[in-house]
Amino acid sequence: MRLSEAEIAVHWKEEAHFRPLSKFIGQANLTDPAVMERFSEKNYPECFREYADLLTWDQYWTKTLDTSNAPFFKWFVGGKLNVSYNCIDRHLEKYGTKAAIVWVSEDENEPDIVLTYNELYARVNEMAALLRDFAGLKTGDRITIHMPMVPELPITMLACARLGIIHSVVFGGFSGEACGARIVDSGSHVLVTMDGYYRSGKLLDHKINADIAVKKAESEGQKVEKVLVWKRFHDKVSSPTAMVAGRDFFVQDELKKFRGARVAPVSMPAEAPLFLMYTSGSTGKPKGCQHSTGGYLAYVTATSKWIQDIHPTDMYWCMADIGWITGHSYIVYGPLALAGTSVMYEGVPTFPDAGRPWRIAERLGVNIFHTSPTAIRMLRKLGPDEPNKYNLNFKCMTTVGEPIEPEAWLWYYHTVGRGKAAITDTWWQTENGGFLCSTKPAIDEMKPGSAGPPMPGIYPVIFDEHGKEIPAGSGKAGNICIRAPWPGQFQTIWGDPDRFVKNYFAKYNKDPKSKRWQDWPYFAGDGAVWAADGYIRILGRVDDVINVAGHRLGTKELESACLTVPEVAEAAVVPIVDEERGRVPEVYIAIKPGVKTDPKEVAAKVTSAIETTIGKIARPRAVRIVPDMPKTRSGKIMRRVLASISNHMDYGDITTLSNPEVVEQIRVQVQGTGPVEKKTAPEDIRRFGETT
Ligand code: WTA
């Protein structure tokens, strides 16, 4: 076993620390250094009362944390509240005329759409009436939403929340088939979509994906009764794809019947599910992470307030997509629960040029900015001096989704932030609801490349493969786990509670019958090192998940897509290091014996199969048709060896393989016959393939 890799020493240059400016500290929401003491273990779990108290409860809760069915933990038990009420209604008196959402089209000639809290209230109510009275949906039903970045997306989500309908938003860039698979898993009878949207200057036909999704769902026994199609432009249809009579309806047309409708927010139990968010894991099937109403909202509200430092007077822009968890927590629910103003941008950050985000920030007076390391790397590469052309005034800026290299961090800090903005590097996952590690911007020093200390009330531990704790300051990497539950944690995997336990808790649980949270450390699936100064550096996934531009793709999902091509006998997908996107997938294919075919043609079919079943974001860097896969004697494909070849690393000992000779053949095919510069690979690449 190579599992001791988890313990290999990790060396990196200690980076300088940076301090937030006193001007920032003077206005910040969280400045009390005693916060960590307040949230220390001796005050757990009651410390999270402070988070819950940021919300308006219809009925106050009686029990903070219920562990009686561990690891299915319940927060704020007995409490009732409504998320849409908390994000809209309760702000109306004071902030009714203030902007809740400012939407920016990708087309620079199209005017912004500004929704005040009053208008958001009206539109969410009308949509809720439509969902209830036209679509026939009720509390507890699931609905799938496959939409681009338009104001109608949060409107639809909040309308669901108003009625306690569980939404499952599928990233707009995912293919129709991927959407269909999620419709089936969630058991949705209604799909909400949009006719078209702009992407890199092109108006894309999105309605066509709905037809594919419905067909795919029906082929697996899930009937979609209604497809609700928002029009991108209110006064015209933007898709050539025909509407299916009796099934497809334009939302704007139907909404006319609900003008002025008001729908009372349904008082939901704190532990009722609010939404599902599908993410990739180490099996082929995406997991529907089920998030709660009370715990989730409390957690994202508090972390938006403390880490992103959102005040109602700020202009806050998170440049993520709502189709990912970041967008749910930090474009929609967290900022709106705080009566913030949340900017939404429809398009590609570098369209039409790398100055676009800075033009938007300057024009709107954005003072809080949240984005991914991939976007930073891309903007820096294409327009290193662009930020200097604009009047930028960020007070704080955050990053999320991937480790950020110190050089990219320093550019973000000096060139975008002008050395004035406090930067936080936030580490967390779809499963977690909100931030787990981050510096507290007005309290902690920043250290490029490190996510920072744990958030208040989050108690991490780094274990080796055998469950032995790796102490902070040892310079060794291990598997990061969180010892105690927190309110933002997902409740289960939709329809698959066993997988929830097995995937996230079984590894370090010693007593499966235990009702104590102490026995159920949450296994995050990331490698990490804990420095002596208390800062945690995340090294990347330790499972078979590839983090492409901050988006999680399961290698098994990609491989099953490849196997839909008839000529393909075997497929293996490995991550390779990419300067901009962090990691990208590379595919190895063995063709069925006896099949005569042009390898180029098969490679093209494989790429197209991946795009059809998952989406363009999963497009592989290369598809390599090889004579055979390197295999163990028991017939397992050695993905580790392939990953080493793709990344120009030493492939190590291969003598135990059943076909060691093929390894050199593949190496020459990938790297050529000349001398090859050996690279040292990052931790996640070195560990890749250990578990399969
Ligand atoms: C990675 C995104 C380093 C990590 C919110 C995690 C990070 C996966 C960071 C979750 C960070 C996220 N530094 N790595 N600040 N943030 N990751 O579910 O590997 O799309 O497990 O959630 O992204 O991705 P997900």
Side-chain angles (χ1 to χ4, degrees):
M1 281 219 292
R2 297 174 67 259
L3 296 178
S4 59
E5 285 270 359
E7 294 141 61
I8 40 182
V10 175
H11 301 285
W12 79 86
K13 207 171 103 253
E14 264 302 317
E15 296 291 330
H17 289 217
F18 294 78
R19 290 202 56 75
L21 298 190
S22 49
K23 186 169 170 221
F24 174 75
I25 300 171
Q27 59 79 64
N29 283 326
L30 177 65
T31 51
D32 179 6
V35 63
M36 289 315 257
E37 170 62 21
R38 259 183 3 252
F39 279 76
S40 66
E41 228 168 309
K42 69 175 195 300
N43 296 326
Y44 178 89
E46 296 309 317
C47 50
F48 283 115
R49 187 175 285 268
E50 229 181 284
Y51 284 17
D53 283 344
L54 294 173
L55 307 180
T56 306
W57 294 81
D58 301 334
Q59 186 178 303
Y60 207 60
W61 36 277
T62 47
K63 193 168 175 114
T64 309
L65 171 64
D66 175 359
T67 65
S68 62
N69 189 25
F72 301 88
F73 302 108
K74 287 184 178 158
W75 284 89
F76 311 128
V77 183
K80 286 188 155 185
L81 75 168
N82 181 277
V83 168
S84 138
Y85 179 88
N86 271 276
C87 291
I88 310 171
D89 306 36
R90 66 169 177 158
H91 307 315
L92 294 179
E93 200 179 310
K94 201 159 167 202
Y95 298 112
T97 56
K98 190 189 85 100
I101 291 172
V102 178
W103 176 82
V104 180
S105 164
E106 191 188 73
D107 174 1
E108 281 193 282
N109 298 315
E110 190 180 352
D112 295 344
I113 293 174
V114 178
L115 295 180
T116 62
Y117 275 94
N118 282 333
E119 188 174 0
L120 184 63
Y121 173 78
R123 295 194 59 187
V124 166
N125 271 279
E126 289 168 1
M127 185 61 184
L130 182 150
L131 292 177
R132 187 187 60 191
D133 301 338
F134 176 71
L137 292 163
K138 53 182 193 316
T139 305
D141 287 347
R142 279 83 53 211
I143 183 175
T144 298
I145 306 175
H146 191 206
M147 288 176 67
M149 283 289 285
V150 287
E152 289 76 11
L153 174 53
I155 287 171
T156 308
M157 292 160 70
L158 288 159
C160 292
R162 200 160 185 88
L163 294 165
I165 296 166
I166 303 166
H167 60 68
S168 164
V169 177
V170 176
F171 170 58
F174 272 146
S175 67
E177 280 197 23
C179 176
R182 286 154 177 78
I183 290 175
V184 175
D185 192 81
S186 62
S188 303
H189 293 288
V190 175
L191 170 66
V192 186
T193 188
M194 178 162 262
D195 53 0
Y197 64 100
Y198 282 109
R199 197 81 199 152
S200 292
K202 282 204 285 286
L203 187 60
L204 303 183
D205 177 8
H206 187 57
K207 163 65 172 57
I208 193 165
N209 294 318
D211 292 24
I212 297 168
V214 169
K215 200 165 144 222
K216 159 96 179 164
E218 292 189 354
S219 76
E220 296 185 18
Q222 180 66 30
K223 175 135 178 63
V224 176
E225 272 135 30
K226 283 198 167 71
V227 178
L228 306 176
V229 186
W230 284 99
K231 282 183 267 188
R232 168 65 177 72
F233 296 98
H234 290 275
D235 52 352
K236 62 174 187 224
V237 176
S238 306
S239 159
T241 304
M243 298 288 276
V244 176
R247 185 197 76 181
D248 301 353
F249 302 90
F250 284 118
V251 180
Q252 279 96 335
D253 299 352
E254 300 304 323
L255 269 176
K256 287 186 187 130
K257 298 169 204 152
F258 297 99
R259 188 163 295 148
R262 295 293 177 261
V263 172
V266 176
S267 202
M268 298 297 293
E271 68 275 25
L274 175 65
F275 66 83
L276 307 179
M277 167 60 63
Y278 283 84
T279 191
S280 296
S282 44
T283 74
K285 195 169 168 244
K287 307 176 270 198
C289 296
Q290 176 185 317
H291 282 281
S292 73
T293 299
Y296 171 82
L297 192 66
Y299 199 74
V300 299
T301 306
T303 49
S304 295
K305 180 164 182 166
W306 284 358
I307 302 302
Q308 295 179 304
D309 200 48
I310 297 176
H311 303 66
T313 45
D314 289 320
M315 185 60 83
Y316 163 81
W317 181 16
C318 167
M319 198 173 66
D321 193 292
I322 292 176
W324 307 109
I325 191 72
T326 296
H328 277 49
S329 300
Y330 298 114
I331 296 177
V332 182
Y333 291 118
L336 296 183
L338 292 169
T341 296
S342 188
V343 176
M344 279 178 76
Y345 171 55
E346 176 183 37
V348 174
T350 50
F351 183 86
D353 57 71
R356 186 68 195 278
W358 319 130
R359 279 202 290 288
I360 294 172
E362 177 186 74
R363 182 167 60 79
L364 299 179
V366 173
N367 65 343
I368 308 175
F369 187 58
H370 187 36
T371 192
S372 65
T374 287
I376 296 169
R377 289 190 290 260
M378 216 117 79
L379 290 164
R380 174 173 176 236
K381 183 170 170 202
L382 296 177
D385 301 320
E386 282 299 310
N388 296 324
K389 301 182 187 158
Y390 302 92
N391 178 18
L392 300 177
N393 275 302
F394 298 115
K395 67 166 181 173
C396 60
M397 308 195 302
T398 51
T399 75
V400 63
E402 310 150 79
I404 180 163
E405 303 72 12
E407 312 92 76
W409 192 99
L410 290 167
W411 179 77
Y412 196 41
Y413 180 75
H414 290 295
T415 308
V416 182
R418 313 282 202 251
K420 289 188 306 192
I423 294 188
T424 55
D425 174 352
T426 60
W427 170 70
W428 59 297
Q429 314 169 297
T430 303
E431 293 86 342
N432 309 152
F435 307 145
L436 292 183
C437 283
S438 167
T439 48
K440 295 172 283 302
I443 298 176
D444 302 321
E445 292 185 340
M446 306 161 233
K447 182 163 104 175
S450 278
M455 289 288 296
I458 300 296
Y459 315 124
V461 57
I462 297 182
F463 283 131
D464 70 10
E465 281 300 322
H466 314 288
K468 197 166 159 280
E469 195 171 333
I470 299 178
S474 67
K476 286 187 175 167
N479 298 322
I480 187 166
C481 296
I482 310 295
R483 288 192 293 114
W486 65 99
Q489 175 73 320
F490 69 143
Q491 302 176 291
T492 187
I493 295 175
W494 180 259
D496 203 348
D498 294 345
R499 192 173 170 200
F500 173 75
V501 178
K502 190 165 163 270
N503 252 258
Y504 299 100
F505 298 96
K507 192 171 172 80
Y508 294 117
N509 167 259
K510 293 194 190 82
D511 173 11
K513 294 211 169 59
S514 172
K515 307 284 176 232
R516 300 166 66 238
W517 62 256
Q518 286 84 348
D519 292 319
W520 295 97
Y522 165 78
F523 172 70
D526 275 328
V529 200
W530 204 336
D533 60 9
Y535 281 41
I536 291 175
R537 183 178 166 102
I538 302 294
L539 303 167
R541 303 292 307 185
V542 297
D543 54 11
D544 300 322
V545 170
I546 306 184
N547 189 334
V548 182
H551 305 316
R552 277 163 67 170
L553 298 175
T555 44
K556 290 282 184 304
E557 270 170 84
L558 289 152
E559 288 167 5
S560 358
C562 301
L563 293 172
T564 62
V565 176
E567 294 89 341
V568 172
E570 286 174 313
V573 173
V574 303
I576 61 173
V577 175
D578 180 86
E579 235 177 64
E580 278 161 52
R581 290 151 63 83
R583 304 284 177 272
V584 289
E586 183 154 288
V587 177
Y588 287 86
I589 296 287
I591 292 179
K592 283 181 188 155
V595 173
K596 292 266 164 302
T597 175
D598 174 6
K600 270 212 195 86
E601 218 172 90
V602 177
K605 279 193 195 170
V606 165
T607 302
S608 128
I610 289 176
E611 290 185 9
T612 316
T613 38
I614 302 168
K616 284 207 166 58
I617 52 161
R619 183 197 299 234
R621 162 78 69 85
V623 177
R624 304 194 183 276
I625 312 286
V626 293
D628 195 6
M629 296 285 182
K631 283 189 189 148
T632 62
R633 296 216 172 100
S634 59
K636 264 173 46 175
I637 300 177
M638 292 298 285
R639 291 174 177 74
R640 170 177 69 76
V641 171
L642 296 172
S644 306
I645 293 174
S646 286
N647 290 284
H648 294 200
M649 290 153 52
D650 273 328
Y651 45 68
D653 182 14
I654 51 163
T655 51
T656 58
L657 297 193
S658 69
N659 55 351
E661 68 292 343
V662 81
V663 174
E664 190 51 23
Q665 243 174 304
I666 297 176
R667 192 195 65 75
V668 169
Q669 184 183 338
V670 174
Q671 301 175 354
T673 44
V676 174
E677 189 200 336
K678 282 272 173 289
K679 294 193 182 144
T680 43
E683 169 86 358
D684 60 313
I685 302 265
R686 271 188 299 188
R687 290 188 66 176
F688 182 80
E690 277 177 12
T691 51
T692 44

